[in-house]
Amino acid sequence: MQTDKKPSINWSALVHFNPKQKEAEQALKKYKYLLYGGAMGGGKSYWLRWMLIKLLLNYHITLGIKGVRVGLFCEDYPSLNDRHVSKIKYELPSWLGKLVGGNEYTLAPEYGSGVIALRNLDDASKYASSEFAAIGVDELTKNQKNVFDMLRTRMRWPGISDTKFLGGTNPGSVGHAWVKQMFLDKIFDQNEKEADLFHYVRAVAGDNRENLDSNYFLQLEGLPEEKRKAFLNGDWNLFEGQYFSEWNEDVHVVDPFPIPDSWMKFGGYDHGRANPACFKWYALDFDANVWVYREFYVNRADGSDRWEADRIAQQVAKITKEAGEHLHYVVADSSIFSKIGASETIAEILMKNGMGKGGTNIPTLIPSAKDRIAGWTTMHQYLYHDKRTPPKMHYFRTCVDSIRTIPSLVYDEHRLEDLDSSGEDHAADTDSYFLATLRSKKTKPPKRYEEIRMEEFQRKMGIKRDDVMRLERFANV
């Protein structure tokens, strides 16, 4: 591989792909958007570099096009240098091409003079006028979806209709939710026209065993169980930096069941217009367990209709009334109770339209506590579980946006006790508002038949509660 000769290229001799990397190589022929990875040590960065080179070679050999540009992106330059620039210097043979200025790799003229532009995504908007026949992004989950959306618009090159997007990543970070949703769960925005062109090839460290030291596996296998699942097995439901590491879909998510009429019911609301708005219905059982049994989630980032505050309140009131339910109160983000240059607050609009209006099924709207960290602490407590202790909070399987977003949230790198609010935290915010109001609240169990008969007897005989308590104390002497 390290030779200065210029032989005809023998791809299998030049590139040492493992079977899983070869699987991804073949899949790229069929799919336009390919995600490769899932766990540490799977050989993602190596695969990305060499697949972009192969695409450049194919553009020259099969289409006769020279000087084609493809992009290889990382979230910032230090990461780009560590994962790719430093590797290119010794990994790629000198006869194949050369590194120019530390930010471009150019193939030799006899191989088409194609270029890999080595770029960072600290400000993706600076590529708004760029064009690439293919784009590769290393650690795709380090980016918000709007970065992906923008890069998709840059995939074009004269004479090349089959443009490609290659992603390599581990689970976690701020883009975890949207990457998992599109590539693994195959859930797309209603306007997506290329849904059938997305594909995921799962790769774990074991697939790349020949290129890893045996001590690396000992390090991964020696981690605590939850981290071992994420780093070694690529578990997308558990990953490094996960804020609600207690989350376990098998434990917290349940099939819907009829909520008993005797359980108290409440509501929680996180307002949004440019961002999603989330309303949830909660039931509190006799043991102080919380059941999230319904959600209403609108104003998504998919370009769907915008719901204004009045329309949201009217819809929530309609759903609650039609279900024949009474919510003791709804707790909402305290910021909507403040006037900011408007004639009325958002809270006043909500109340006027049925969310917190006396004499209705939702008579009371209250502001949330302003201590964000305390709210998260309470939520951690309700989600906590172990082999002997079940969680105190469960979600109906129909609450798809809660199930989708809550486990994807990550820690704030600058304030470790908080979560990164650049993630989709609206469902979690709603939960924290409500949980902070509970303290030791629970639904009182219905009285047994014997208790009802005893109370009737006491009333009939004129026995007061104080008399009963004195008799009980006397009986215990």
Side-chain angles (χ1 to χ4, degrees), residues 422-473:
S422 64
E424 196 171 347
D425 59 356
H426 316 288
D429 278 335
T430 307
D431 289 343
S432 72
Y433 300 156
F434 170 65
L435 293 176
T437 68
L438 287 183
R439 297 179 178 88
S440 59
K441 193 183 274 102
K442 64 180 179 180
T443 297
K444 293 182 179 179
K447 294 177 180 178
R448 293 180 289 114
Y449 174 75
E450 294 82 354
E451 293 176 307
I452 296 173
R453 290 297 304 272
M454 179 60 72
E455 289 180 356
E456 291 176 350
F457 174 76
Q458 290 170 359
R459 284 196 298 271
K460 184 176 180 180
M461 301 301 295
I463 301 174
K464 298 180 180 179
R465 177 173 173 77
D466 290 345
D467 296 332
V468 174
M469 294 176 66
R470 282 195 293 270
L471 286 171
E472 288 177 344
R473 285 197 296 270

Short mmCIF file of all heavy atoms in Angstrom, two decimals, residues 422-473:
data_model
loop_
_atom_site.label_atom_id
_atom_site.label_comp_id
_atom_site.label_asym_id
_atom_site.label_seq_id
_atom_site.Cartn_x
_atom_site.Cartn_y
_atom_site.Cartn_z
N SER A 422 -30.72 22.57 23.03
CA SER A 422 -30.79 22.63 21.57
C SER A 422 -31.40 21.35 21.01
O SER A 422 -31.73 21.27 19.84
CB SER A 422 -29.39 22.84 20.98
OG SER A 422 -28.54 21.73 21.25
N GLY A 423 -31.54 20.33 21.87
CA GLY A 423 -32.24 19.11 21.47
C GLY A 423 -33.75 19.31 21.54
O GLY A 423 -34.23 20.35 22.00
N GLU A 424 -34.51 18.33 21.12
CA GLU A 424 -35.97 18.44 21.10
C GLU A 424 -36.51 18.07 22.49
O GLU A 424 -36.88 16.93 22.76
CB GLU A 424 -36.56 17.52 20.03
CG GLU A 424 -38.00 17.85 19.68
CD GLU A 424 -38.49 17.07 18.46
OE1 GLU A 424 -37.65 16.48 17.75
OE2 GLU A 424 -39.72 17.06 18.22
N ASP A 425 -36.55 19.08 23.37
CA ASP A 425 -36.82 18.83 24.80
C ASP A 425 -38.23 19.19 25.24
O ASP A 425 -38.52 19.25 26.43
CB ASP A 425 -35.82 19.61 25.66
CG ASP A 425 -35.88 21.12 25.42
OD1 ASP A 425 -36.63 21.57 24.53
OD2 ASP A 425 -35.14 21.86 26.11
N HIS A 426 -39.14 19.42 24.31
CA HIS A 426 -40.46 19.94 24.65
C HIS A 426 -41.31 18.94 25.43
O HIS A 426 -42.01 19.32 26.38
CB HIS A 426 -41.17 20.39 23.37
CG HIS A 426 -40.27 21.17 22.47
ND1 HIS A 426 -39.87 22.46 22.75
CD2 HIS A 426 -39.63 20.82 21.31
CE1 HIS A 426 -39.04 22.88 21.80
NE2 HIS A 426 -38.88 21.90 20.93
N ALA A 427 -41.25 17.67 25.06
CA ALA A 427 -42.00 16.66 25.81
C ALA A 427 -41.43 16.50 27.21
O ALA A 427 -42.17 16.34 28.18
CB ALA A 427 -41.95 15.32 25.07
N ALA A 428 -40.11 16.55 27.34
CA ALA A 428 -39.48 16.44 28.66
C ALA A 428 -39.79 17.66 29.52
O ALA A 428 -40.05 17.53 30.72
CB ALA A 428 -37.97 16.26 28.50
N ASP A 429 -39.76 18.84 28.91
CA ASP A 429 -40.12 20.06 29.66
C ASP A 429 -41.52 19.94 30.25
O ASP A 429 -41.75 20.28 31.41
CB ASP A 429 -40.05 21.28 28.73
CG ASP A 429 -38.64 21.83 28.56
OD1 ASP A 429 -37.81 21.60 29.46
OD2 ASP A 429 -38.38 22.46 27.53
N THR A 430 -42.45 19.47 29.44
CA THR A 430 -43.83 19.33 29.90
C THR A 430 -43.90 18.42 31.13
O THR A 430 -44.59 18.73 32.11
CB THR A 430 -44.71 18.78 28.77
OG1 THR A 430 -44.54 19.58 27.60
CG2 THR A 430 -46.17 18.78 29.18
N ASP A 431 -43.18 17.31 31.08
CA ASP A 431 -43.17 16.38 32.22
C ASP A 431 -42.58 17.04 33.46
O ASP A 431 -43.10 16.88 34.57
CB ASP A 431 -42.35 15.14 31.88
CG ASP A 431 -43.04 14.24 30.87
OD1 ASP A 431 -44.26 14.40 30.67
OD2 ASP A 431 -42.36 13.38 30.28
N SER A 432 -41.48 17.77 33.29
CA SER A 432 -40.83 18.38 34.46
C SER A 432 -41.73 19.43 35.10
O SER A 432 -41.76 19.57 36.33
CB SER A 432 -39.49 19.00 34.06
OG SER A 432 -39.65 20.17 33.29
N TYR A 433 -42.49 20.19 34.28
CA TYR A 433 -43.42 21.18 34.84
C TYR A 433 -44.42 20.49 35.75
O TYR A 433 -44.69 20.95 36.87
CB TYR A 433 -44.19 21.90 33.73
CG TYR A 433 -43.37 22.66 32.72
CD1 TYR A 433 -43.87 22.92 31.44
CD2 TYR A 433 -42.10 23.13 33.03
CE1 TYR A 433 -43.14 23.62 30.50
CE2 TYR A 433 -41.36 23.83 32.08
CZ TYR A 433 -41.88 24.07 30.82
OH TYR A 433 -41.16 24.74 29.89
N PHE A 434 -45.00 19.40 35.24
CA PHE A 434 -46.05 18.72 36.00
C PHE A 434 -45.49 18.03 37.25
O PHE A 434 -46.05 18.17 38.35
CB PHE A 434 -46.75 17.69 35.12
CG PHE A 434 -47.68 16.80 35.88
CD1 PHE A 434 -48.81 17.31 36.51
CD2 PHE A 434 -47.41 15.44 36.02
CE1 PHE A 434 -49.65 16.50 37.25
CE2 PHE A 434 -48.25 14.62 36.75
CZ PHE A 434 -49.36 15.16 37.36
N LEU A 435 -44.41 17.30 37.10
CA LEU A 435 -43.88 16.54 38.23
C LEU A 435 -43.50 17.44 39.40
O LEU A 435 -43.63 17.06 40.57
CB LEU A 435 -42.67 15.72 37.78
CG LEU A 435 -42.96 14.59 36.79
CD1 LEU A 435 -41.66 13.92 36.34
CD2 LEU A 435 -43.90 13.56 37.39
N ALA A 436 -43.03 18.65 39.09
CA ALA A 436 -42.64 19.57 40.15
C ALA A 436 -43.82 20.01 41.01
O ALA A 436 -43.63 20.50 42.13
CB ALA A 436 -41.95 20.79 39.55
N THR A 437 -45.05 19.81 40.54
CA THR A 437 -46.23 20.22 41.31
C THR A 437 -46.75 19.12 42.23
O THR A 437 -47.60 19.37 43.08
CB THR A 437 -47.39 20.60 40.37
OG1 THR A 437 -47.88 19.43 39.69
CG2 THR A 437 -46.94 21.64 39.35
N LEU A 438 -46.23 17.91 42.08
CA LEU A 438 -46.84 16.78 42.79
C LEU A 438 -46.47 16.69 44.25
O LEU A 438 -47.31 16.47 45.11
CB LEU A 438 -46.46 15.46 42.09
CG LEU A 438 -47.15 15.20 40.75
CD1 LEU A 438 -46.74 13.85 40.22
CD2 LEU A 438 -48.66 15.26 40.91
N ARG A 439 -45.17 16.81 44.54
CA ARG A 439 -44.66 16.57 45.89
C ARG A 439 -45.13 15.19 46.35
O ARG A 439 -44.75 14.20 45.74
CB ARG A 439 -45.11 17.69 46.82
CG ARG A 439 -44.54 19.06 46.39
CD ARG A 439 -44.99 20.19 47.29
NE ARG A 439 -44.40 21.45 46.87
CZ ARG A 439 -44.91 22.25 45.97
NH1 ARG A 439 -46.08 21.93 45.39
NH2 ARG A 439 -44.31 23.38 45.62
N SER A 440 -45.96 15.09 47.36
CA SER A 440 -46.39 13.76 47.83
C SER A 440 -47.83 13.45 47.42
O SER A 440 -48.49 12.61 48.00
CB SER A 440 -46.28 13.68 49.36
OG SER A 440 -47.07 14.69 49.97
N LYS A 441 -48.31 14.15 46.42
CA LYS A 441 -49.70 14.00 46.00
C LYS A 441 -49.97 12.61 45.40
O LYS A 441 -49.14 12.05 44.69
CB LYS A 441 -50.04 15.09 44.97
CG LYS A 441 -51.52 15.24 44.70
CD LYS A 441 -51.75 16.29 43.63
CE LYS A 441 -51.81 17.69 44.23
NZ LYS A 441 -50.62 18.47 44.07
N LYS A 442 -51.11 12.04 45.68
CA LYS A 442 -51.55 10.80 45.07
C LYS A 442 -53.07 10.73 45.15
O LYS A 442 -53.70 11.44 45.95
CB LYS A 442 -50.92 9.58 45.73
CG LYS A 442 -51.30 9.37 47.19
CD LYS A 442 -50.60 8.13 47.73
CE LYS A 442 -50.94 7.91 49.20
NZ LYS A 442 -50.26 6.70 49.74
N THR A 443 -53.65 9.89 44.32
CA THR A 443 -55.10 9.71 44.35
C THR A 443 -55.47 8.86 45.55
O THR A 443 -54.88 7.80 45.80
CB THR A 443 -55.58 9.01 43.06
OG1 THR A 443 -55.27 9.86 41.94
CG2 THR A 443 -57.07 8.75 43.11
N LYS A 444 -56.46 9.33 46.31
CA LYS A 444 -56.93 8.54 47.44
C LYS A 444 -57.72 7.34 46.93
O LYS A 444 -58.59 7.48 46.07
CB LYS A 444 -57.82 9.39 48.35
CG LYS A 444 -57.09 10.51 49.06
CD LYS A 444 -58.03 11.29 49.97
CE LYS A 444 -57.29 12.40 50.70
NZ LYS A 444 -58.21 13.18 51.59
N PRO A 445 -57.43 6.15 47.43
CA PRO A 445 -58.16 4.96 46.97
C PRO A 445 -59.63 5.05 47.37
O PRO A 445 -59.97 5.66 48.39
CB PRO A 445 -57.45 3.81 47.68
CG PRO A 445 -56.82 4.43 48.88
CD PRO A 445 -56.44 5.82 48.47
N PRO A 446 -60.51 4.44 46.60
CA PRO A 446 -61.94 4.46 46.96
C PRO A 446 -62.17 3.72 48.27
O PRO A 446 -61.46 2.78 48.62
CB PRO A 446 -62.60 3.73 45.78
CG PRO A 446 -61.51 2.89 45.19
CD PRO A 446 -60.24 3.67 45.38
N LYS A 447 -63.17 4.17 49.02
CA LYS A 447 -63.46 3.56 50.32
C LYS A 447 -64.07 2.17 50.15
O LYS A 447 -64.85 1.93 49.23
CB LYS A 447 -64.41 4.45 51.11
CG LYS A 447 -63.80 5.79 51.49
CD LYS A 447 -64.81 6.67 52.21
CE LYS A 447 -64.18 8.01 52.59
NZ LYS A 447 -65.16 8.90 53.25
N ARG A 448 -63.66 1.28 51.03
CA ARG A 448 -64.23 -0.06 51.03
C ARG A 448 -65.68 -0.02 51.53
O ARG A 448 -66.10 0.91 52.23
CB ARG A 448 -63.38 -0.99 51.90
CG ARG A 448 -61.99 -1.25 51.34
CD ARG A 448 -61.17 -2.17 52.23
NE ARG A 448 -60.78 -1.50 53.47
CZ ARG A 448 -61.21 -1.85 54.66
NH1 ARG A 448 -62.08 -2.84 54.80
NH2 ARG A 448 -60.79 -1.21 55.74
N TYR A 449 -66.43 -1.04 51.20
CA TYR A 449 -67.84 -1.12 51.58
C TYR A 449 -68.00 -1.00 53.10
O TYR A 449 -68.89 -0.29 53.59
CB TYR A 449 -68.42 -2.45 51.09
CG TYR A 449 -69.84 -2.69 51.54
CD1 TYR A 449 -70.92 -2.02 50.95
CD2 TYR A 449 -70.12 -3.61 52.56
CE1 TYR A 449 -72.21 -2.25 51.37
CE2 TYR A 449 -71.42 -3.84 52.98
CZ TYR A 449 -72.46 -3.16 52.38
OH TYR A 449 -73.75 -3.39 52.79
N GLU A 450 -67.09 -1.67 53.85
CA GLU A 450 -67.19 -1.64 55.31
C GLU A 450 -66.99 -0.23 55.85
O GLU A 450 -67.66 0.19 56.82
CB GLU A 450 -66.15 -2.57 55.93
CG GLU A 450 -66.37 -4.04 55.64
CD GLU A 450 -65.81 -4.44 54.27
OE1 GLU A 450 -65.37 -3.54 53.53
OE2 GLU A 450 -65.86 -5.64 53.96
N GLU A 451 -66.07 0.55 55.22
CA GLU A 451 -65.82 1.92 55.66
C GLU A 451 -67.05 2.80 55.41
O GLU A 451 -67.41 3.65 56.25
CB GLU A 451 -64.61 2.50 54.92
CG GLU A 451 -63.29 1.83 55.29
CD GLU A 451 -62.14 2.37 54.47
OE1 GLU A 451 -62.25 2.37 53.23
OE2 GLU A 451 -61.15 2.80 55.07
N ILE A 452 -67.67 2.60 54.27
CA ILE A 452 -68.86 3.40 53.95
C ILE A 452 -69.98 3.12 54.95
O ILE A 452 -70.64 4.03 55.46
CB ILE A 452 -69.32 3.10 52.51
CG1 ILE A 452 -68.24 3.53 51.50
CG2 ILE A 452 -70.65 3.80 52.21
CD1 ILE A 452 -68.54 3.13 50.08
N ARG A 453 -70.19 1.82 55.26
CA ARG A 453 -71.24 1.44 56.22
C ARG A 453 -70.94 1.99 57.60
O ARG A 453 -71.85 2.45 58.32
CB ARG A 453 -71.37 -0.09 56.27
CG ARG A 453 -71.96 -0.71 55.01
CD ARG A 453 -73.39 -0.24 54.77
NE ARG A 453 -74.25 -0.51 55.90
CZ ARG A 453 -74.92 -1.65 56.08
NH1 ARG A 453 -74.81 -2.61 55.18
NH2 ARG A 453 -75.70 -1.81 57.13
N MET A 454 -69.65 1.97 58.01
CA MET A 454 -69.27 2.49 59.32
C MET A 454 -69.52 3.99 59.40
O MET A 454 -70.03 4.49 60.42
CB MET A 454 -67.80 2.18 59.58
CG MET A 454 -67.29 2.72 60.93
SD MET A 454 -68.19 2.03 62.34
CE MET A 454 -67.58 0.34 62.33
N GLU A 455 -69.18 4.73 58.34
CA GLU A 455 -69.43 6.17 58.35
C GLU A 455 -70.92 6.47 58.42
O GLU A 455 -71.34 7.42 59.09
CB GLU A 455 -68.80 6.80 57.09
CG GLU A 455 -67.27 6.83 57.13
CD GLU A 455 -66.68 7.46 55.89
OE1 GLU A 455 -67.47 7.81 54.97
OE2 GLU A 455 -65.45 7.60 55.82
N GLU A 456 -71.71 5.68 57.70
CA GLU A 456 -73.17 5.86 57.76
C GLU A 456 -73.67 5.61 59.18
O GLU A 456 -74.54 6.34 59.69
CB GLU A 456 -73.85 4.91 56.78
CG GLU A 456 -73.60 5.24 55.31
CD GLU A 456 -74.22 4.21 54.38
OE1 GLU A 456 -74.65 3.15 54.89
OE2 GLU A 456 -74.25 4.46 53.15
N PHE A 457 -73.15 4.59 59.84
CA PHE A 457 -73.54 4.28 61.22
C PHE A 457 -73.15 5.41 62.16
O PHE A 457 -73.94 5.82 63.04
CB PHE A 457 -72.89 2.96 61.66
CG PHE A 457 -73.12 2.63 63.11
CD1 PHE A 457 -74.35 2.14 63.55
CD2 PHE A 457 -72.11 2.83 64.05
CE1 PHE A 457 -74.56 1.85 64.88
CE2 PHE A 457 -72.31 2.53 65.37
CZ PHE A 457 -73.54 2.03 65.81
N GLN A 458 -71.95 5.94 62.00
CA GLN A 458 -71.49 7.03 62.87
C GLN A 458 -72.36 8.27 62.72
O GLN A 458 -72.68 8.94 63.70
CB GLN A 458 -70.03 7.35 62.53
CG GLN A 458 -69.04 6.25 62.96
CD GLN A 458 -67.65 6.47 62.41
OE1 GLN A 458 -67.41 7.43 61.70
NE2 GLN A 458 -66.73 5.58 62.77
N ARG A 459 -72.71 8.57 61.46
CA ARG A 459 -73.58 9.73 61.24
C ARG A 459 -74.95 9.51 61.87
O ARG A 459 -75.52 10.41 62.47
CB ARG A 459 -73.72 10.00 59.73
CG ARG A 459 -72.51 10.66 59.09
CD ARG A 459 -72.85 11.24 57.74
NE ARG A 459 -73.28 10.18 56.80
CZ ARG A 459 -72.45 9.50 56.01
NH1 ARG A 459 -71.15 9.75 56.06
NH2 ARG A 459 -72.92 8.58 55.19
N LYS A 460 -75.46 8.30 61.72
CA LYS A 460 -76.78 7.99 62.26
C LYS A 460 -76.80 8.09 63.78
O LYS A 460 -77.78 8.56 64.38
CB LYS A 460 -77.19 6.58 61.82
CG LYS A 460 -78.59 6.18 62.24
CD LYS A 460 -78.95 4.82 61.68
CE LYS A 460 -80.36 4.40 62.11
NZ LYS A 460 -80.71 3.07 61.56
N MET A 461 -75.70 7.67 64.40
CA MET A 461 -75.62 7.68 65.86
C MET A 461 -75.08 8.99 66.40
O MET A 461 -74.98 9.17 67.62
CB MET A 461 -74.73 6.53 66.33
CG MET A 461 -75.22 5.15 65.90
SD MET A 461 -76.89 4.79 66.51
CE MET A 461 -76.59 4.75 68.28
N GLY A 462 -74.72 9.92 65.53
CA GLY A 462 -74.21 11.20 65.98
C GLY A 462 -72.80 11.13 66.52
O GLY A 462 -72.39 11.98 67.33
N ILE A 463 -72.04 10.12 66.11
CA ILE A 463 -70.66 9.98 66.59
C ILE A 463 -69.75 10.83 65.70
O ILE A 463 -69.74 10.67 64.47
CB ILE A 463 -70.22 8.50 66.55
CG1 ILE A 463 -71.14 7.66 67.41
CG2 ILE A 463 -68.78 8.36 67.00
CD1 ILE A 463 -70.87 6.17 67.31
N LYS A 464 -68.99 11.74 66.35
CA LYS A 464 -68.09 12.61 65.60
C LYS A 464 -66.73 11.94 65.42
O LYS A 464 -66.37 11.01 66.13
CB LYS A 464 -67.93 13.94 66.33
CG LYS A 464 -69.22 14.71 66.47
CD LYS A 464 -68.99 16.02 67.20
CE LYS A 464 -70.29 16.81 67.36
NZ LYS A 464 -70.07 18.07 68.10
N ARG A 465 -65.96 12.46 64.46
CA ARG A 465 -64.64 11.89 64.15
C ARG A 465 -63.73 11.95 65.38
O ARG A 465 -63.00 11.01 65.66
CB ARG A 465 -63.99 12.65 62.97
CG ARG A 465 -62.58 12.17 62.66
CD ARG A 465 -62.05 12.80 61.38
NE ARG A 465 -60.66 12.48 61.18
CZ ARG A 465 -60.19 11.32 60.74
NH1 ARG A 465 -61.05 10.36 60.44
NH2 ARG A 465 -58.91 11.12 60.58
N ASP A 466 -63.80 13.06 66.13
CA ASP A 466 -62.94 13.20 67.32
C ASP A 466 -63.27 12.11 68.34
O ASP A 466 -62.38 11.57 69.01
CB ASP A 466 -63.11 14.57 67.95
CG ASP A 466 -62.51 15.68 67.10
OD1 ASP A 466 -61.71 15.34 66.19
OD2 ASP A 466 -62.84 16.86 67.33
N ASP A 467 -64.56 11.77 68.47
CA ASP A 467 -64.96 10.71 69.40
C ASP A 467 -64.37 9.37 68.98
O ASP A 467 -63.91 8.58 69.81
CB ASP A 467 -66.49 10.61 69.44
CG ASP A 467 -67.13 11.89 69.99
OD1 ASP A 467 -66.46 12.57 70.79
OD2 ASP A 467 -68.26 12.18 69.58
N VAL A 468 -64.38 9.11 67.69
CA VAL A 468 -63.84 7.86 67.17
C VAL A 468 -62.35 7.76 67.46
O VAL A 468 -61.85 6.72 67.89
CB VAL A 468 -64.10 7.75 65.66
CG1 VAL A 468 -63.41 6.50 65.09
CG2 VAL A 468 -65.59 7.71 65.36
N MET A 469 -61.63 8.88 67.26
CA MET A 469 -60.19 8.86 67.49
C MET A 469 -59.87 8.63 68.95
O MET A 469 -58.93 7.91 69.30
CB MET A 469 -59.56 10.19 66.99
CG MET A 469 -59.66 10.36 65.48
SD MET A 469 -59.04 11.96 64.91
CE MET A 469 -57.30 11.79 65.30
N ARG A 470 -60.70 9.23 69.88
CA ARG A 470 -60.47 8.99 71.31
C ARG A 470 -60.73 7.55 71.70
O ARG A 470 -60.01 6.95 72.49
CB ARG A 470 -61.35 9.94 72.12
CG ARG A 470 -60.83 11.37 72.21
CD ARG A 470 -61.52 12.16 73.30
NE ARG A 470 -62.92 12.38 72.97
CZ ARG A 470 -63.37 13.45 72.29
NH1 ARG A 470 -62.50 14.35 71.88
NH2 ARG A 470 -64.66 13.59 72.03
N LEU A 471 -61.78 6.95 71.11
CA LEU A 471 -62.07 5.56 71.38
C LEU A 471 -60.95 4.64 70.89
O LEU A 471 -60.59 3.66 71.56
CB LEU A 471 -63.39 5.17 70.70
CG LEU A 471 -64.68 5.71 71.35
CD1 LEU A 471 -65.86 5.43 70.46
CD2 LEU A 471 -64.88 5.10 72.73
N GLU A 472 -60.37 5.00 69.73
CA GLU A 472 -59.28 4.17 69.20
C GLU A 472 -58.06 4.25 70.11
O GLU A 472 -57.40 3.24 70.36
CB GLU A 472 -58.93 4.65 67.78
CG GLU A 472 -59.98 4.30 66.74
CD GLU A 472 -59.64 4.85 65.37
OE1 GLU A 472 -58.74 5.75 65.31
OE2 GLU A 472 -60.24 4.41 64.38
N ARG A 473 -57.76 5.46 70.61
CA ARG A 473 -56.61 5.60 71.51
C ARG A 473 -56.86 4.83 72.80
O ARG A 473 -55.97 4.18 73.35
CB ARG A 473 -56.36 7.09 71.81
CG ARG A 473 -55.72 7.85 70.66
CD ARG A 473 -55.13 9.16 71.13
NE ARG A 473 -56.14 10.06 71.62
CZ ARG A 473 -56.78 10.94 70.86
NH1 ARG A 473 -56.50 11.01 69.55
NH2 ARG A 473 -57.68 11.74 71.37
#
